[in-house]
Amino acid sequence: MKFKLTSTQQNFFTNNPFLDRTLWNFGAIQFFNEKYTYKQLNDVLNLLVENHENLRMRISKNDDTFYSHIEDFHYVDFPLIQASSFEELTKTTQDYVNAPIDFDGELVKCMSFTTPDCSGFFIYAHHIVFDGFGAQLMIRYLNNALKGQKTYFGDLESYENYIKKEDEYKQSKRYNRDKKFWEEQFSTELICDVVLQGRKNVDYTSSELNGSLSSESFVKIKKFCDENEISLNSFFDAICSIYISRKYEVENFTLGVPVLNRTTLAEMNTIGLYMHILPLVCNMESVSFAEFAKQTEENKLNLFRHQKFTQTDIKELLKEKGIEKNNLFDVAFSYQDFAPNENYEILFQYSNALSIPLEIHLQNFNDEEHNLKIRYRTAYFNEAEVQTMLNSIIAIAEDAVENPDKIIYELEMISSEEKQKILRNFNETAYTYDIPENT
């Protein structure tokens, strides 16, 4: 049976004109210190695919319209990767993630692996099948299955039922309220291409750079957020907005932020694509950081109340008003919280192509490791520029939490250590030269 695509799935076709590229590929390696046999691993993968129909999704095209359908389940001997080291494993899996996924074939690729020290699963997919939250669900389900437990918790949402619910939403009063909200959001001129600045997408090749936020700084930030009833997510949305505003000298612009878009328990249990990215409208004013952070929290909560309206819906709305927007944002930020598990470790991998010029991710691992990852298109940034960007974001965050009453445009963009280094280099002007005898 064929189904039309959900609005969230349609985003991929409106945002990605090159469907054979790898813009939306990602992979996850789940490794266990315990050594499992191939049969144990393969049986668990089959159990997962059997219980979660979205993992058997296929996409087809008919008369310029894309449809999806669910393949029947049958037991499969999934490939086994036998690597001599973890380094060899990650290189092999990264090559898979960087390769295009055929829309006429499997959109989810399941494998098991062994190394001399561990065994586990490697799964890579196109994002049109499931989102990051779904990936974390999948990892938990695989772990449970290896321990003889269910590969799901409670009821699951069927794809067919979700399509029906979406159709009902588009005929509802809530849809009209959401439409009005987004009309108001775009009632004033907004810069949605802060980086591109009118330039066309010409090269999607990307790289990434990692930095870290100290545990001491993170504790202070968490304390500030708790005391001011602000989420960590909104705190860093505010920090990124300040950086973008000052770096690109813009006052009214958009920042892409992910929304979970799961509203029922069944949806929370289902491996599927619900999450999408929406434009957070940033109107910069000369206010204290404490006030700006509260404004950002309020704006984010308002956005969450209208999160079922997708990018596709917003673009159609703007088109009705004669406004053409190729991009609703070209910088995005996400905060990712990874709960530790004593049974396994996880490594996410992304393709070497990026759908927008800049993504900033703060990844919190067990409240001790706080990784700041920046993925960027190499056509617009070089590594030195991104390193400066990373340092500036950390410096703004540290100054903001130490001096929340500072006006946002006065927050430091360089750390005290960097400032001292600049001053030392500036003052070290001594120069030795020879003076002729007859002078």
Side-chain angles (χ1 to χ4, degrees):
M1 182 175 180
K2 290 196 304 186
F3 304 101
K4 66 179 183 180
L5 301 183
T6 67
S7 293
T8 306
Q9 288 176 321
Q10 289 172 26
N11 289 341
F12 291 102
F13 295 91
T14 57
N15 291 340
N16 178 9
F18 303 103
L19 298 180
D20 59 341
R21 293 181 62 90
T22 63
L23 291 176
W24 303 103
N25 292 4
F26 75 110
I29 306 173
Q30 182 179 19
F31 50 99
F32 303 83
N33 291 327
E34 184 175 349
K35 295 294 290 290
Y36 291 96
T37 66
Y38 170 75
K39 184 176 184 342
Q40 287 175 308
L41 297 170
N42 198 63
D43 284 350
V44 164
L45 285 173
N46 275 277
L47 191 60
L48 181 81
V49 174
E50 179 180 14
N51 286 328
H52 295 272
E53 63 175 23
N54 286 338
L55 301 181
R56 292 179 269 119
M57 182 183 296
R58 302 289 187 273
I59 303 290
S60 58
K61 188 177 181 181
N62 186 17
D63 296 331
D64 294 325
T65 301
F66 289 93
Y67 297 92
S68 66
H69 71 275
I70 306 298
E71 292 276 297
D72 292 334
F73 170 76
H74 59 276
Y75 190 93
V76 174
D77 290 327
F78 291 110
L80 171 67
I81 302 173
Q82 294 177 293
S84 61
S85 66
F86 188 72
E87 290 73 21
E88 181 186 334
L89 171 69
T90 55
K91 184 180 183 305
T92 301
T93 54
Q94 186 65 59
D95 288 342
Y96 279 116
V97 174
N98 287 340
I101 291 179
D102 184 2
F103 266 80
D104 295 328
E106 293 179 343
L107 297 172
V108 181
K109 313 281 189 177
C110 300
M111 303 181 187
S112 56
F113 72 83
T114 62
T115 74
D117 302 315
C118 63
S119 61
F121 305 107
F122 168 60
I123 297 176
Y124 72 105
H126 191 287
H127 248 315
I128 203 167
V129 180
F130 58 86
D131 53 35
F133 185 88
Q136 293 195 52
L137 277 177
M138 180 176 62
I139 289 161
R140 289 166 58 196
Y141 294 156
L142 287 169
N143 179 58
N144 290 347
L146 276 177
K147 295 190 296 184
Q149 300 172 6
K150 279 187 173 182
T151 63
Y152 58 93
F153 307 126
D155 295 331
L156 300 176
E157 179 75 84
S158 74
Y159 188 83
E160 182 178 6
N161 190 54
Y162 186 71
I163 291 287
K164 290 178 180 176
K165 284 166 56 178
E166 192 172 74
D167 287 341
E168 291 170 0
Y169 161 70
K170 293 197 172 183
Q171 303 300 319
S172 69
K173 291 181 179 179
R174 179 178 178 180
Y175 177 83
N176 291 328
R177 288 196 300 269
D178 292 348
K179 184 176 181 179
K180 184 178 179 181
F181 169 80
W182 286 106
E183 282 178 341
E184 292 171 351
Q185 291 292 290
F186 283 85
S187 61
T188 57
E189 184 64 30
L190 295 170
I191 298 175
C192 299
D193 56 350
V194 173
V195 176
L196 288 173
Q197 298 179 354
R199 293 175 292 184
K200 291 184 178 179
N201 293 318
V202 291
D203 188 350
Y204 295 89
T205 305
S206 71
S207 187
E208 65 180 49
L209 192 66
N210 291 279
S212 61
L213 193 65
S214 70
S215 294
E216 180 184 357
S217 294
F218 190 81
V219 168
K220 290 179 180 178
I221 291 169
K222 195 170 185 307
K223 184 173 182 290
F224 171 84
C225 291
D226 291 342
E227 290 175 349
N228 290 273
E229 297 182 340
I230 296 170
S231 69
L232 284 165
N233 211 323
S234 293
F235 177 92
F236 285 102
D237 285 334
I239 296 298
C240 289
S241 300
I242 293 167
Y243 172 79
I244 292 167
S245 176
R246 294 177 64 178
K247 164 69 176 175
Y248 293 99
E249 299 181 349
V250 290
E251 293 183 352
N252 302 299
F253 58 94
T254 56
L255 172 69
V257 295
V259 292
L260 188 60
N261 195 31
R262 282 172 157 85
T263 56
T264 69
L265 185 59
E267 290 171 0
M268 293 293 289
N269 290 332
T270 302
I271 299 173
L273 179 68
Y274 299 88
M275 185 182 293
H276 54 107
I277 303 178
L278 287 175
L280 176 68
V281 174
C282 306
N283 295 312
M284 312 302 290
E285 299 175 353
S286 184
V287 297
S288 70
F289 176 76
E291 185 176 347
F292 182 69
K294 288 178 181 178
Q295 289 175 2
T296 303
E297 174 77 4
E298 184 178 340
N299 293 341
K300 194 81 174 285
L301 289 174
N302 281 334
L303 183 148
F304 286 156
R305 294 186 185 102
H306 305 279
Q307 63 180 290
K308 289 190 75 67
F309 216 75
T310 67
Q311 287 187 53
T312 301
D313 297 322
I314 296 172
K315 287 183 177 181
E316 289 176 357
L317 164 66
L318 294 176
K319 194 172 182 180
E320 289 173 7
K321 298 190 172 296
I323 303 172
E324 291 285 347
K325 291 281 188 186
N326 293 326
N327 302 294
L328 296 178
F329 52 84
D330 66 1
V331 182
F333 170 77
S334 73
Y335 174 76
Q336 301 159 343
D337 211 344
F338 297 100
N341 189 290
E342 61 182 15
N343 296 319
Y344 62 82
E345 293 184 54
I346 190 75
L347 174 66
F348 289 105
Q349 293 180 311
Y350 304 92
S351 75
N352 57 4
L354 192 59
S355 61
I356 59 175
L358 189 65
E359 288 182 355
I360 305 167
H361 305 273
L362 182 65
Q363 300 169 318
N364 178 31
F365 299 92
N366 60 46
D367 281 338
E368 293 182 4
E369 185 182 348
H370 317 285
N371 182 50
L372 189 62
K373 178 195 294 288
I374 296 182
R375 299 185 68 210
Y376 61 96
R377 285 205 199 149
T378 54
Y380 303 111
F381 303 97
N382 59 46
E383 185 175 333
E385 290 172 327
V386 175
Q387 183 64 63
T388 300
M389 181 188 306
L390 193 150
N391 294 342
S392 294
I393 291 171
I394 293 173
I396 294 171
E398 291 177 341
D399 193 27
V401 78
E402 291 287 352
N403 303 287
D405 293 329
K406 255 190 183 182
I407 301 300
I408 57 175
Y409 291 114
E410 296 175 357
L411 292 169
E412 294 289 351
M413 289 185 68
I414 59 174
S415 67
S416 56
E417 291 81 4
E418 286 181 296
K419 189 182 291 185
Q420 289 299 318
K421 182 179 179 181
I422 292 170
L423 289 172
R424 279 198 306 271
N425 290 341
F426 180 78
N427 290 325
E428 288 176 359
T429 57
Y431 179 73
T432 301
Y433 58 91
D434 295 328
I435 302 175
E437 291 183 7
N438 295 329
T439 299

